[in-house]
Amino acid sequence: MNTINDFSPQAVVIDAGQFPTSPQALRWLSVTDKIVCCDGAANAYLSRPGARAWRIVGDCDSLSPLILSRYADIVRRRPDQETNDQTKAVTYLAHRGLTPIAIIGATGLREDHTFGNISLLIDYHLQGIEARAYTDHGVFIPASGTRTFHCPTGTQVSIFNFGATGLHADGLRYPLRDFTTWWQGTLNETTAPTFTIHAHGPYLLFLTYHPNPRDNKND
């Protein structure tokens, strides 16, 4: 069992960041027909051969007139300016019971959008919405409390604290503590096929798809 792939999304959200090329991120497009494009992502994604979408959700301020006209029957406009298009798409799905949700295209291109998209995973988590963001390099997983994760020895792990206390772990190379800045929990590494984080409160993990080659002998 591998935490990275042990995930069964009922829907996929495509953000307007850099479209992924890794098989691990792209595989989610083949496991569900509930593919939702944020409106800015629809312009590029729906021009790809064989691309398909179930809904286009957003404020439609960046949706091209051609796409808007061609796909008018699946466009769901949400003009609220207090949330971004990713959140509009996630909440649209959650209100219809379509969770868990895999998000792709959340990173790359504009760094401020990347930062916002990733940090919003904690907001969804606190609302009871299970969502993860898959990139070309790994997966962002929001979590709370004590959790055990399964991945090969040598997997690179970063932990970002969102107010959790009592942080410590089993199965990581470097000890955890109640970090006050995000960089302090980055660039850790698993020393066993499972690791456990102990905490009170929420935190965000990033797990790489592939382990550090120096530790493959320990798998």
Side-chain angles (χ1 to χ4, degrees):
M1 181 183 300
N2 188 318
T3 295
I4 292 172
N5 296 318
D6 184 22
F7 190 61
S8 300
Q10 292 194 50
V12 175
V13 169
I14 302 177
D15 277 352
Q18 184 173 328
F19 194 77
T21 59
S22 74
Q24 290 93 336
L26 292 175
R27 69 188 292 256
W28 304 120
L29 295 175
S30 65
V31 303
T32 178
D33 61 353
K34 299 297 188 293
I35 297 172
V36 177
C37 287
C38 296
D39 65 18
N43 298 326
Y45 173 69
L46 291 174
S47 67
R48 293 171 172 267
R52 57 193 175 87
W54 177 65
R55 294 288 186 270
I56 299 171
V57 178
D59 55 19
C60 298
D61 63 347
S62 54
L63 194 62
S64 75
L66 176 62
I67 295 295
L68 180 58
S69 173
R70 182 175 296 174
Y71 295 94
D73 58 328
I74 65 169
V75 171
R76 300 296 183 268
R77 185 171 183 270
R78 299 292 185 269
D80 177 17
Q81 294 300 308
E82 297 301 315
T83 61
N84 71 354
D85 286 342
Q86 174 186 279
T87 299
K88 292 179 175 71
V90 167
T91 54
Y92 178 87
L93 289 165
H95 289 163
R96 287 154 183 80
L98 294 169
T99 62
I101 299 166
I103 301 172
I104 63 174
T107 62
L109 303 183
R110 280 185 51 173
E111 288 82 1
D112 54 343
H113 287 181
T114 292
F115 192 81
N117 289 339
I118 296 305
S119 64
L120 280 164
L121 292 172
I122 289 291
D123 285 9
Y124 310 149
H125 173 70
L126 295 176
Q127 295 170 40
I129 301 171
E130 187 177 0
R132 298 179 176 185
Y134 285 81
T135 77
D136 273 341
H137 305 285
V139 55
F140 286 95
I141 303 174
S144 293
T146 296
R147 288 279 305 275
T148 296
F149 304 90
H150 304 261
C151 53
T153 301
T155 297
Q156 306 295 290
V157 181
S158 290
I159 299 98
F160 304 94
N161 190 6
F162 280 79
T165 59
L167 272 167
H168 62 284
D170 306 312
L172 292 182
R173 185 172 299 277
Y174 307 111
L176 303 186
R177 61 184 187 279
D178 293 354
F179 306 121
T180 56
T181 57
W182 282 11
W183 70 268
Q184 292 174 308
T186 61
L187 307 179
N188 214 317
E189 185 174 305
T190 63
T191 58
T194 64
F195 70 97
T196 299
I197 293 181
H198 306 270
H200 302 284
Y203 50 90
L204 182 68
L205 282 81
F206 181 77
L207 305 179
T208 58
Y209 295 135
H210 306 294
N212 190 324
R214 75 184 182 193
D215 285 313
N216 282 349
K217 62 182 182 297
N218 297 325
D219 288 351

